């Protein structure tokens, strides 16, 4: 069994020679023009599951919420960082982890993407003194959860988020006979 597993791993590492880069697709890149919703569906499902388990464990007395760190919302810095990272991922077609894997498998576009991350980091560091106060300006009170911010029970918010996810899944479902995202 060990030799078979090793053979499969080595074959998997060698697939870079089987498919030209022009014929590969990235869920990150195809999500940006709202074509492939796989990343959204996976991440949103994880958020709903994690939130449900956290509040369930809290209500059962298994998890004291006072021991969980909830960061403050830095709206402007989050919007700026999210926009820059999103644009970089859409243009490059990678997230940092997949870019590292691409580089390790010999793809130069992975290297270019990682160099772009480095350049962006250096630019941000250079601009930090000018934008740091603005980027870290807190919005509202410190450490609010979504239920606290909206003054609603988590058991109202979580089903609403689930309904939103179900709506996205249904609206983005592929027609019969075509693979879905």
């Amino acid at each position: 069994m060990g030799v078979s597993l090793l053979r499969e791993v080595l074959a998997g590492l060698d697939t870079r020679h089987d498919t030209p880069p022009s014929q590969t697709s990235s869920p990150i890149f195809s999500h940006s023009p709202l074509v492939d919703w796989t990343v959204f569906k996976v991440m949103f499902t994880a958020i709903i599951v994690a939130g449900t388990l956290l509040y369930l464990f809290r209500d059962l007395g298994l998890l004291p919420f006072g021991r969980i760190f909830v960061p403050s919302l830095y709206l402007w810095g989050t919007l700026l960082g999210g926009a820059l990272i999103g644009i970089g991922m859409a243009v490059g077609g990678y997230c940092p982890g997949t870019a590292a894997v691409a580089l390790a498998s010999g793809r130069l576009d992975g290297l270019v993407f990682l160099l772009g991350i480095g350049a962006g980091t250096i630019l941000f560091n250079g601009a930090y003194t000018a934008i740091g106060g603005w980027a870290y300006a807190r919005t509202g009170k410190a450490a609010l959860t979504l239920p606290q911010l909206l003054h609603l029970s988590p058991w109202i918010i979580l089903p609403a988020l689930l309904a939103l996810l179900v709506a996205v899944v249904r609206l983005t479902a592929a027609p019969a006979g075509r693979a879905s995202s």
Side-chain angles (χ1 to χ4, degrees), residues 22-107:
S22 63
Q23 294 178 6
T24 60
S25 65
S26 165
I28 302 296
F29 180 72
S30 57
H31 176 75
S32 61
L34 305 178
V35 174
D36 184 350
W37 287 78
T38 304
V39 173
F40 176 85
K41 292 173 190 176
V42 169
M43 295 303 295
F44 212 68
T45 300
I47 290 168
I48 292 169
V49 169
T52 300
L53 291 175
L54 280 171
Y55 284 104
L56 179 65
F57 289 167
R58 179 201 68 178
D59 290 353
L60 293 173
L62 300 172
L63 182 65
F65 254 35
R67 296 182 62 187
I68 297 176
F69 172 73
V70 177
S72 297
L73 174 62
Y74 301 105
L75 182 65
W76 303 116
T78 301
L79 290 175
L80 175 64
L84 292 175
I85 289 171
I87 290 167
M89 287 171 56
V91 170
Y94 289 114
C95 70
T98 55
V101 170
L103 176 61
S105 66
R107 297 202 39 185

Side-chain angles (χ1 to χ4, degrees), residues 52-177:
T52 300
L53 291 175
L54 280 171
Y55 284 104
L56 179 65
F57 289 167
R58 179 201 68 178
D59 290 353
L60 293 173
L62 300 172
L63 182 65
F65 254 35
R67 296 182 62 187
I68 297 176
F69 172 73
V70 177
S72 297
L73 174 62
Y74 301 105
L75 182 65
W76 303 116
T78 301
L79 290 175
L80 175 64
L84 292 175
I85 289 171
I87 290 167
M89 287 171 56
V91 170
Y94 289 114
C95 70
T98 55
V101 170
L103 176 61
S105 66
R107 297 202 39 185
L108 287 179
D109 57 345
L111 173 63
V112 171
F113 185 85
L114 291 171
L115 290 173
I117 289 174
T121 302
I122 291 168
L123 288 172
F124 177 83
N125 191 38
Y128 182 78
T129 54
I131 67 170
W134 171 81
Y136 285 104
R138 188 173 37 200
T139 304
K141 295 181 182 177
L144 289 178
T145 63
L146 189 57
Q148 291 168 330
L149 182 66
L150 299 177
H151 303 288
L152 292 171
S153 165
W155 302 115
I156 292 173
I157 293 175
L158 290 166
L161 293 176
L162 180 60
L164 177 63
L165 177 62
V166 168
V168 168
V169 168
R170 288 188 179 196
L171 290 171
T172 61

